[in-house]
């Protein structure tokens, strides 16, 4: 997130890492030595596997504030300790996540409940305690973990095995040999977790995305593993791939790992492996406690030169095949350790173009990065299903990338991204300790000599974890600022040692670092409201180059979501008072109100008359703003000069119930911003250009398309037709190319000040394959470019869209029917028809799938939505969702629109029909 120096005071922010809120059932908790009492929770007991190469995650913890624990660490960390009054916590859980799961506080996503949680509870260390059982002590045992926020003293069976000077930083990886301490039966591991401050610790922070959690995410937010093995350990297994580009006919694989002698005696290990049907092996002599690199290359193993490799592609460009590597280390014929890695074969390059912008190419093909900024849950609760739902939304939106500014998610996230073909741009975050040395007037302590080893260890651990994931196409070692020479060397040395395979980017802003050079990215905003035409100017945040984070600011959710997150009094203030501080927007004084947004809403659409009218106008405003952003970048992607190369909408989603920076809300409901992005990012798309009034067809498919026709028709709000032109015989090349079909004249006789433009795209057979409807004005928005600041360009004159308020109410009929598949997925088919007898269209007509109580069924993927229909026209939409999300209710479809009255129809198997009034 970009903040120019001295732009505003930075509020204290919370540290963030990745985690899981897991409320364990009673069956998941076993009695410790001695029965639990009413005041003593049953403690989590993990049965640790004995097989060499096994890695067993601790099942969970009992946690308690250090202020409440009077016993010494040696007692707390021994088996049999009675943890009276402690709280159960999942295997990845912040302190606050566990307390919320235990009902300690009211719903923090509603109203200002979060503000009522006392920060003082989290200014002392918290204990995390877990028991595990071992049946075989002949194996060597290591405690393997990362994700401690922010630091911890670590104990096993009453003995401290590492202190907080060693275990610090959310990303640092630790492997502690606890073989001598482990005994047959029950063992105990305990962490004394230190409080976190992202301005002082190399962890994670929320910047100004949301109201920060009072515990600042202190806790353990990745799995803690108990590893078992023999005398030789295998570590750091990975595969380097070199794909022949552009032919894609061959790929060279180089397998690397480290063999480590865990004993005080010399041993000889046999390291063998397999990739598909290709096997390989070698003998590795090891001196006492020696670690040796082990490499298998195509020169040694010809089978590692793949012929006709299965190539991994981003979604929409090809398939996502993956390979597996299996390695085994044996000593005297006995398995000592094993390793497995999944990887993909693909090539990523990102050179700077002639304008200095970074242009990504995957497997030799250029692509426009179209993405959103990713946010985890505010309390770092990991929910694989919820994450998968959001990633499916990414594909539904037509996006190809998510950017993770800090908040680098656990392994499963990247596994899912690999599977779905979604590119990821992870990197360090701005505005706290990570950029403290170079971030100007922003908050964040400057680094001391003690921070460099933590930074290097963090980079090394994340590089080793991410390098084999084909979805990871870069690492951003800076965000708002680029690192200085010493910090950059710290990162680059770690990346080089880890065989990092993809481009390293100096910063997400237009900055340079001494070695990596120019970033090739820009961070010029905006972050608050700007009109749709803003995006077409090839300056500031407009559609040129690679904009790493940008958007038109606020996103007002649907009424359903607003009523779930705000009190009646807050909802009343929302539409009445633009100057009011909005708790659900941001802790930032810059983004604390909706003043800029509300002024534009009233100036362009007319002052809201109530909450429903406010939300109704907000959906139109958000649809046009987001659509224009992606359309401008899409149109300009293949320009000969100053092309657009990437755009990351700020943001994709929010970690809590928010009023800004999201294409989807916390509950996965979809409004104007969502469907505006979905429309703009269609594979084959017809669009209107706000800058030169051209009608353009953009082809995001690989193959060219011929025989197209594009028609543009202009209407007054009452449906009176004022202009109509068609261009036929159009051919548009693939991979983001566009063709200009025609240009709307600068003035049309008789056209109202507010008017509608309907664009229709047809194929060679005359079938409609695309439609796009705009609401426009003969009076343009006027931008004050001279007073542009870091978060927006002021608007001094607004387009007049108030004529939309005069549109007559029109009847829209709806029929709906549902079919359920054996795989637990239901599909509801909805047909909407404008049955009006006049000329007025139904504008931005929305279909919402709801249950019998009127609650939205979420998540849901619509084939299309928020459609505009002229009298006599109809369209058929499909909604796909999990049958279980109906919770036994019969599905219904609620239809609303700008000028269509709300109506709800049943969506049973036989279908039903009803007309809007």
């Amino acid at each position: 997130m970009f903040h120019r120096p001295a732009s505003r005071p930075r509020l204290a922010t919370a540290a963030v890492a990745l985690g899981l809120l897991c409320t364990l059932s009673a069956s998941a908790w076993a009695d410790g030595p001695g029965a639990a009492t009413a005041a003593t929770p049953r403690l989590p007991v993990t049965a640790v596997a004995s097989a060499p190469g096994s890695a067993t995650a601790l099942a969970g913890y009992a946690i308690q504030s250090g202020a409440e624990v009077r016993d010494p660490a040696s007692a707390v960390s021994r088996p049999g300790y009675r943890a009276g009054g402690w709280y159960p916590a999942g295997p990845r859980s912040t302190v606050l996540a566990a307390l919320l799961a235990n009902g300690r506080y009211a719903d923090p996503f509603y109203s200002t409940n979060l503000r009522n949680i006392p920060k003082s509870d989290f200014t002392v260390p918290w204990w995390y305690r877990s028991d595990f059982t071992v049946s075989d002590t002949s194996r060597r045992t290591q405690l393997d973990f990362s994700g401690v926020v922010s630091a911890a003293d670590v104990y096993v069976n009453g003995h401290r095995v590492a202190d907080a000077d060693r275990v610090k930083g959310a990303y640092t990886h630790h492997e502690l040999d606890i073989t001598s301490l482990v005994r047959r039966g029950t063992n105990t591991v305990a962490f004394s977790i230190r409080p976190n401050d992202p301005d002082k610790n190399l962890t994670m922070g929320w910047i100004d995305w949301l109201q920060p959690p009072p515990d600042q995410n202190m806790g353990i937010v990745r799995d803690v593993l108990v590893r078992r093995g023999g005398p030789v350990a295998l570590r750091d297994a990975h595969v380097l791939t070199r794909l022949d580009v552009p032919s894609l006919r061959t790929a060279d694989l180089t397998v690397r790992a480290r063999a480590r002698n865990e004993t005080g005696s010399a041993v000889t290990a046999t390291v063998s492996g397999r990739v598909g049907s290709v096997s390989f092996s070698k003998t590795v002599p090891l001196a006492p406690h020696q670690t040796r690199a082990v490499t298998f290359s195509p020169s040694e193993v010809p089978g590692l030169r793949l012929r006709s490799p299965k190539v991994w592609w981003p979604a929409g460009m090809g398939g996502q095949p993956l390979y597996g590597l299996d390695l085994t280390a044996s000593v005297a014929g006995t398995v000592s350790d094993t390793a497995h890695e999944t990887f993909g074969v693909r090539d990523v390059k990102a050179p700077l173009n002639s304008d200095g912008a970074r242009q990504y190419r995957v497997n030799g093909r250029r692509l426009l990065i179209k993405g959103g900024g990713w946010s985890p849950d505010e309390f770092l609760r990991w929910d694989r299903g919820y994450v998968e739902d959001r990633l499916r939304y990414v594909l539904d939106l037509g996006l190809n990338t998510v950017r993770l500014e800090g908040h680098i998610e656990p392994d499963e996230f990247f596994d899912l991204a690999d599977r779905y073909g979604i590119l990821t741009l992870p990197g360090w975050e701005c505005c706290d300790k990570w950029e403290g040395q170079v971030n100007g007037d922003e908050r964040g302590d400057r680094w001391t000599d003690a921070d460099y080893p933590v930074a290097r260890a963090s980079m090394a651990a994340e590089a080793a974890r991410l390098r084999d994931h084909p979805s990871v196409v870069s690492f951003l070692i800076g965000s708002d600022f680029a690192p200085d020479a010493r910090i950059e060397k710290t990162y680059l040395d770690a990346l080089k040692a880890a065989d990092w395979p993809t481009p390293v980017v100096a910063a997400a802003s237009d900055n340079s670092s001494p070695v990596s050079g120019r970033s090739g990215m820009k961070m010029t905003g905006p972050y608050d409201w700007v009109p749709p035409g803003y995006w077409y100017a090839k300056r500031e945040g407009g559609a040129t180059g690679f904009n790493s984070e940008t958007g038109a600011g606020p996103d007002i959710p649907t009424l359903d979501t607003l009523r779930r997150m705000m009190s009646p009094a807050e909802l009343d203030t929302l539409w009445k008072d633009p100057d009011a501080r909005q708790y659900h927007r941001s802790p930032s004084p810059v983004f604390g109100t909706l003043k800029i947004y509300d002024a534009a809403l009233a100036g362009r659409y007319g002052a809201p008359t109530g909450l429903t009218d406010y939300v109704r106008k907000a959906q139109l405003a958000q649809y046009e703003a987001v659509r224009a952003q992606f359309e401008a970048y899409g149109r300009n992607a293949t320009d000969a000069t100053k092309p657009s190369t990437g755009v990351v909408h700020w943001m994709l989603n929010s970690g809590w119930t928010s009023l800004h920076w999201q294409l989807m809300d916390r509950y996965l409901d979809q409004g104007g911003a969502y469907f505006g992005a979905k429309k703009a990012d269609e594979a084959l798309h017809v669009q209107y250009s706000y800058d030169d009034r051209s009608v353009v067809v953009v082809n995001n498919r690989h193959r060219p398309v011929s025989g197209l026709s594009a028609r543009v028709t202009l209407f007054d709000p009452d449906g009176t037709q004022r202009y109509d032109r068609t261009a036929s015989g159009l051919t548009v090349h693939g991979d983001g190319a566009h063709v200009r079909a025609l240009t709307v004249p600068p003035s049309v006789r008789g056209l109202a000040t507010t008017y509608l433009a309907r664009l229709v795209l047809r194929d060679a057979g005359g079938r409609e394959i695309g439609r796009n409807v705009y609401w426009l004005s003969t009076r343009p928005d006027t931008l004050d470019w001279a007073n542009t600041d870091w978060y927006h360009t002021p608007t001094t004159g607004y387009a007049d869209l108030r004529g939309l308020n005069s549109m007559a109410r029109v009847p829209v009929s709806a029929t709906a029917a549902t079919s359920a598949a054996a795989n637990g997925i239901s599909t509801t088919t909805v047909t909407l028809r404008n049955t009006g007898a006049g000329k007025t269209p139904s504008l931005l007509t929305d279909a919402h799938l709801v249950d019998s109580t009127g609650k939205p069924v979420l998540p849901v993927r619509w084939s299309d939505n928020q459609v505009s229909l002229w009298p006599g026209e109809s369209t058929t939409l499909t909604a796909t969702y999990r049958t279980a999300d109906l919770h036994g209710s019969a599905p219904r479809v609620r239809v609303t629109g700008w000028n269509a009255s709300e109506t709800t129809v049943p969506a049973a198997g036989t279908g039903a029909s009803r007309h809007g009034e």
Side-chain angles (χ1 to χ4, degrees):
M1 174 67 194
F2 178 61
H3 306 292
R4 293 189 176 175
S7 60
R8 59 180 169 84
R10 170 68 64 194
L11 299 183
T13 56
V16 176
L18 306 155
L20 168 69
L21 174 60
C22 178
T23 307
L24 298 176
S25 64
S27 62
W29 297 82
D31 290 332
T37 66
T40 305
R42 287 185 284 180
L43 304 180
V45 177
T46 304
V48 171
S50 295
S54 62
T56 306
L58 296 180
Y61 305 90
I63 73 168
Q64 181 56 277
S65 167
E68 302 295 326
V69 178
R70 306 302 180 193
D71 299 309
S74 59
V76 173
S77 59
R78 286 189 182 277
Y81 179 76
R82 286 190 171 295
W86 289 41
Y87 301 93
R92 309 173 192 171
S93 180
T94 66
V95 172
L96 186 50
L99 297 179
L100 290 169
N102 283 278
R104 177 77 178 269
Y105 306 112
D107 177 8
F109 288 150
Y110 179 74
S111 187
T112 58
N113 286 347
L114 183 65
R115 189 160 57 196
N116 298 329
I117 300 174
K119 295 180 181 179
S120 58
D121 288 354
F122 313 107
T123 57
V124 298
W126 276 71
W127 279 104
Y128 277 60
R129 189 182 185 283
S130 188
D131 288 343
F132 64 93
T133 59
V134 171
S135 60
D136 179 5
T137 57
S138 66
R139 304 286 186 200
R140 300 199 66 83
T141 306
Q142 281 87 24
L143 200 62
D144 185 309
F145 60 92
S146 63
V148 172
V149 183
S150 66
D153 297 299
V154 186
Y155 301 84
V156 173
N157 291 343
H159 299 271
R160 188 169 71 177
V161 293
D163 62 26
D165 286 336
R166 177 180 177 185
V167 179
K168 59 183 176 181
Y171 297 107
T172 56
H173 173 246
H174 306 277
E175 188 175 1
L176 308 177
D177 190 333
I178 58 173
T179 303
S180 64
L181 297 175
V182 171
R183 65 191 191 188
R184 188 184 305 274
T186 302
N187 297 267
T188 299
V189 58
F191 294 80
S192 177
I193 306 291
R194 302 289 178 89
N196 181 47
D197 183 343
D199 288 336
K200 298 182 180 300
N201 310 126
L202 289 171
T203 54
M204 295 181 237
W206 284 106
I207 316 169
D208 48 11
W209 302 4
L210 46 71
Q211 299 292 346
D215 71 337
Q216 301 208 84
N217 294 132
M218 67 184 298
I220 301 175
V221 295
R222 291 184 182 169
D223 286 341
V224 174
L225 305 175
V226 181
R227 291 189 178 274
R228 310 301 303 284
V232 173
L234 272 179
R235 295 293 185 266
D236 201 35
H238 61 287
V239 181
L240 294 175
T241 64
R242 189 178 68 185
L243 178 64
D244 184 52
V245 175
S247 77
L248 311 185
R249 294 192 189 100
T250 63
D252 286 351
L253 309 182
T254 300
V255 176
R256 291 184 177 174
R258 289 183 292 112
R260 185 177 71 210
N261 184 357
E262 303 279 67
T263 74
S265 303
V267 298
T268 298
T270 299
V271 178
S272 57
R274 177 183 293 271
V275 175
S277 60
V278 181
S279 299
F280 38 87
S281 181
K282 67 173 50 176
T283 299
V284 182
L286 294 165
H289 301 295
Q290 182 185 15
T291 298
R292 287 187 61 183
V294 182
T295 301
F296 301 94
S297 67
S299 61
E300 302 170 274
V301 184
L304 291 177
R305 169 160 289 177
L306 304 182
R307 308 292 178 180
S308 301
K310 295 179 287 186
V311 177
W312 187 96
W313 290 94
M317 297 178 71
Q320 291 79 46
L322 297 169
Y323 289 84
L325 164 69
D326 291 290
L327 286 178
T328 301
S330 300
V331 176
T334 300
V335 174
S336 178
D337 203 0
T338 63
H340 174 79
E341 284 292 314
T342 300
F343 65 96
V345 174
R346 59 94 176 91
D347 177 82
V348 178
K349 297 290 188 296
L352 303 186
N353 65 16
S354 59
D355 299 309
R358 195 166 293 275
Q359 174 67 70
Y360 279 83
R361 293 179 181 269
V362 177
N363 304 329
R365 281 168 56 184
R366 185 176 65 178
L367 78 161
L368 172 68
I369 294 292
K370 294 185 293 185
W374 180 269
S375 174
D377 171 74
E378 174 167 8
F379 310 111
L380 306 183
R381 296 170 291 193
W382 172 258
D383 183 326
R384 178 187 172 93
Y386 182 60
V387 168
E388 194 164 8
D389 287 337
R390 283 183 285 163
L391 290 176
R392 288 192 181 114
Y393 271 12
V394 170
L395 296 183
D396 184 54
L397 285 165
L399 304 180
N400 56 29
T401 304
V402 292
R403 179 185 166 211
L404 296 89
E405 183 185 359
H407 314 88
I408 305 177
E409 293 276 30
D411 295 341
E412 297 97 317
F413 175 89
F414 296 96
D415 291 339
L416 289 169
D418 292 344
R419 194 175 88 195
Y420 285 120
I422 297 170
L423 304 179
T424 62
L425 292 171
W428 307 127
E429 68 192 38
C430 83
C431 315
D432 55 23
K433 179 71 172 185
W434 285 103
E435 291 186 336
Q437 201 71 3
V438 295
N439 68 2
D441 293 336
E442 297 293 346
R443 294 185 60 157
D445 286 2
R446 293 340 188 215
W447 289 21
T448 67
D449 287 343
D451 293 312
Y452 290 89
V454 177
R456 179 176 177 127
S458 300
M459 187 74 263
E462 290 305 285
R465 195 171 69 90
L466 300 178
R467 64 193 164 194
D468 276 339
H469 287 284
S471 59
V472 179
V473 293
S474 274
F475 199 94
L476 279 68
I477 57 174
S479 181
D480 292 18
F481 298 89
D484 63 20
R486 185 180 177 188
I487 294 176
E488 183 180 27
K489 185 177 187 304
T490 299
Y491 292 147
L492 294 182
D493 286 351
L495 287 161
K496 181 179 180 181
D499 292 329
W500 184 255
T502 59
V504 177
V505 180
S509 59
D510 186 11
N511 275 302
S512 300
S513 58
V515 178
S516 302
R518 290 189 61 182
S519 70
M521 295 188 176
K522 67 178 183 180
M523 195 186 284
T524 47
Y527 299 97
D528 214 322
W529 187 86
V530 290
Y534 171 96
W535 301 104
Y536 285 86
K538 287 195 173 184
R539 58 179 296 177
E540 306 296 337
T544 180
F546 193 123
N547 202 339
S548 68
E549 50 182 66
T550 189
D555 180 80
I556 306 301
T558 63
L559 269 172
D560 296 293
T561 292
L562 285 171
R563 287 169 175 154
R564 291 180 71 175
M565 62 185 266
M566 299 174 76
S567 69
E570 289 167 335
L571 291 174
D572 205 40
T573 300
L574 177 65
W575 73 271
K576 287 182 177 178
D577 188 357
D579 292 318
R581 295 284 302 177
Q582 295 292 342
Y583 188 70
H584 284 267
R585 189 167 184 209
S586 172
S588 160
V590 173
F591 303 122
T593 74
L594 292 165
K595 186 173 183 178
I596 295 171
Y597 176 85
D598 286 352
L601 207 65
R604 300 173 92 241
Y605 290 100
T609 59
L611 177 64
T612 299
D613 186 54
Y614 178 79
V615 175
R616 168 175 165 260
K617 288 172 177 172
Q619 301 315 310
L620 258 71
Q622 288 152 197
Y623 188 107
E624 62 168 350
V626 174
R627 177 179 59 179
Q629 177 182 341
F630 282 109
E631 284 183 338
Y633 273 84
R635 188 198 70 176
N636 292 358
T638 53
D639 282 2
T641 59
K642 300 184 71 174
S644 57
T645 62
V647 59
V648 178
H649 184 273
W650 209 248
M651 298 177 65
L652 176 74
N653 67 295
S654 177
W656 84 322
T657 43
S658 179
L659 295 172
H660 79 162
W661 295 350
Q662 57 191 357
L663 294 177
M664 63 195 77
D665 68 35
R666 167 69 195 177
Y667 304 112
L668 302 182
D669 207 352
Q670 305 145 318
Y674 186 97
F675 291 114
K678 181 178 171 71
K679 175 59 65 176
D681 294 319
E682 294 172 316
L684 186 63
H685 179 63
V686 60
Q687 64 187 62
Y688 171 81
S689 305
Y690 283 83
D691 58 341
D692 60 10
R693 304 176 309 283
S694 61
V695 173
V696 169
V697 180
V698 178
N699 183 12
N700 292 306
R701 300 167 180 168
H702 183 49
R703 298 185 182 278
V705 183
S706 299
L708 301 173
S709 68
R711 180 184 181 186
V712 58
T713 313
L714 306 185
F715 301 88
D716 290 345
D718 66 0
T720 299
Q721 182 176 310
R722 299 293 186 183
Y723 179 84
D724 188 38
R725 292 291 185 276
T726 299
S728 302
L730 303 173
T731 296
V732 56
H733 297 292
D735 294 332
H738 72 267
V739 63
R740 180 186 291 245
L742 47 82
T743 300
V744 176
S747 63
V748 173
R749 184 177 178 181
L751 190 64
T753 302
T754 302
Y755 64 97
L756 304 176
R758 183 184 66 194
L759 278 56
V760 175
L761 183 68
R762 297 186 185 275
D763 64 14
R767 181 175 61 96
E768 182 177 317
I769 57 173
R771 173 180 289 223
N772 205 351
V773 175
Y774 295 78
W775 40 103
L776 303 167
S777 175
T778 57
R779 180 187 304 167
D781 294 293
T782 306
L783 286 157
D784 182 8
W785 292 105
N787 285 304
T788 296
D789 53 32
W790 65 268
Y791 61 93
H792 85 311
T793 296
T795 304
T796 55
Y798 296 113
D800 185 356
L801 301 174
R802 292 172 296 173
L804 297 178
N805 295 315
S806 68
M807 293 180 71
R809 309 294 290 181
V810 296
V812 176
S813 69
T815 61
T818 298
S819 61
N823 61 357
I825 301 298
S826 286
T827 300
T828 294
T829 302
V830 183
T831 298
L832 303 176
R833 181 180 295 275
N834 181 338
T835 58
K839 298 181 294 183
T840 306
S842 62
L843 181 64
L844 217 69
T845 306
D846 177 273
H848 246 69
L849 187 76
V850 298
D851 63 18
S852 58
T853 67
K855 180 181 178 181
V857 178
L858 300 168
V860 60
R861 291 189 300 283
W862 287 94
S863 59
D864 194 8
N865 211 330
Q866 298 198 344
V867 295
S868 298
L869 299 171
W870 269 251
E873 291 185 333
S874 66
T875 189
T876 298
L877 316 174
T878 58
T880 307
Y881 54 96
R882 289 185 291 263
T883 307
D885 288 336
L886 286 166
H887 303 292
S889 174
R892 297 164 66 84
V893 175
R894 184 180 67 209
V895 179
T896 57
W898 175 259
N899 58 325
S901 299
E902 180 176 323
T903 184
T904 302
V905 301
T910 57
S913 176
R914 185 171 300 172
H915 285 66
E917 297 298 329

